[in-house]
Amino acid sequence: METFQRLLIAGPCAIESEEIVDRTAAALAALRDRTDWRIYFKASFDKANRTSIHAFRGLGMDRGLQILDTIRQRYGLPILTDIHEAWQAAPASEVADVLQIPAFLCRQTDLITAAARSGRIVNIKKGQFLSGDDMRYPIEKARAAGAREVWATERGELFGYNDLIVDFRNIPRMRQYADKVVMDCTHAVQTLGGEGDHSGGDIRYVPMMARAARAFGADGFYFEVHPTPQEALSDSRTMITPARLSEILDSL
């Protein structure tokens, strides 16, 4: 029987402020200390793929990386952050333990190559337009560039114009190629651009996403977490509170 790895990626969608990031990290560190979950703190210094030009993107790379480095040192949490351009890999790798390739960019060869050459773990989010088997090619790009470890994250497929649907068969399919397969339980319940100039979603389905992924053999789970999701500047419809996260983890 395979060992349940209890790998968790969690944190706010975007770095809104040092206060919000610190509050979230403190809650996650407390969760780590009372459980056996291995938690990677996730937050984005720049959300370059927001629906609207007017949407909040983050605090920028310089300030964002400073905040993430503070979190790493203060709470001992390893860091995951995403990059959107190849040149960002080197500075981000000085702080982050995992460099993430966004789903919309998962076929960008130069971006994947730069992340792989950084020496950090590379987490490639599966594009909403790819099957699980198609992910072998982005993963092969990372390995060819020297990546020491490659993860793949499932986050659903486009179903119609705005909605997502999850084919959980992608989890065992991607495990043929990736070192670990993670289920993104909060992005998977999004409706892309479903509320006009921003995405919507339905968090009622987040616990079910996690339990189904567990049944299909996921190595880890990904949740966007915020102290007050309804006030978040990005992904407010699909983030959950630390308390709700703790309940979901207990159910796994």
Side-chain angles (χ1 to χ4, degrees):
M1 187 174 181
E2 294 179 351
T3 302
F4 185 31
Q5 298 193 33
R6 288 184 168 81
L7 169 66
L8 177 65
I9 299 168
C13 177
I15 298 176
E16 301 175 19
S17 68
E18 186 167 2
E19 177 195 3
I20 291 295
V21 170
D22 187 78
R23 287 173 60 191
T24 309
L28 292 173
L31 177 63
R32 174 204 59 197
D33 292 344
R34 67 174 182 268
T35 67
D36 56 357
W37 285 87
R38 182 158 53 96
I39 301 177
Y40 286 76
F41 184 83
K42 178 269 170 187
S44 300
F45 55 78
D46 180 20
K47 298 298 294 182
N49 57 354
R50 297 300 306 277
T51 302
S52 170
I53 188 66
H54 304 294
F56 177 79
R57 288 180 54 165
L59 301 184
M61 187 173 69
D62 291 344
R63 181 63 181 135
L65 291 178
Q66 288 175 357
I67 292 173
L68 291 175
D69 192 39
T70 298
I71 293 303
R72 181 179 64 169
Q73 296 183 52
R74 182 175 294 161
Y75 297 105
L77 290 167
I79 300 296
L80 179 149
T81 196
D82 45 12
I83 58 174
H84 293 83
E85 300 181 58
W87 67 268
Q88 296 174 339
S93 69
E94 295 179 6
V95 173
D97 301 89
V98 183
L99 296 183
Q100 179 169 277
I101 308 299
F104 286 126
L105 301 177
C106 70
R107 289 175 56 125
Q108 297 297 104
T109 302
D110 290 345
L111 183 63
I112 294 172
T113 298
R117 290 175 176 168
S118 72
R120 299 303 187 182
I121 297 169
V122 180
N123 182 38
I124 307 176
K125 301 195 79 175
K126 184 180 71 62
Q128 299 90 330
F129 43 85
L130 291 181
S131 71
D133 283 320
D134 288 333
M135 276 292 286
R136 68 179 296 178
Y137 302 108
I139 293 168
E140 285 177 356
K141 291 178 183 180
R143 294 204 190 283
R148 63 182 178 88
E149 188 170 339
V150 185
W151 302 351
T153 294
E154 167 63 43
R155 58 148 302 158
E157 287 75 49
L158 283 171
F159 186 67
Y161 287 103
N162 300 110
D163 214 355
L164 291 169
I165 191 166
V166 177
D167 181 352
F168 288 96
R169 295 175 300 176
N170 286 330
I171 292 172
R173 286 170 177 166
M174 290 193 294
R175 289 196 80 198
Q176 300 174 82
Y177 317 111
D179 294 294
K180 291 181 175 59
V181 175
V182 178
M183 178 66 210
D184 186 339
C185 303
T186 48
H187 280 106
V189 303
Q190 276 188 334
T191 53
L192 303 178
E195 299 192 18
D197 64 352
H198 61 280
S199 294
D202 193 336
I203 61 171
R204 292 178 300 172
Y205 299 116
V206 169
M208 291 83 120
M209 289 288 178
R211 291 196 290 271
R214 172 78 174 94
F216 274 85
D219 298 299
F221 304 86
Y222 186 122
F223 299 88
E224 287 198 321
V225 179
H226 193 285
T228 52
Q230 68 277 8
E231 300 174 7
L233 300 179
S234 177
D235 286 2
S236 61
R237 298 292 191 272
T238 52
M239 284 198 283
I240 60 175
T241 64
R244 185 65 177 125
L245 172 64
S246 181
E247 294 172 358
I248 294 171
L249 295 181
D250 286 344
S251 77
L252 295 176

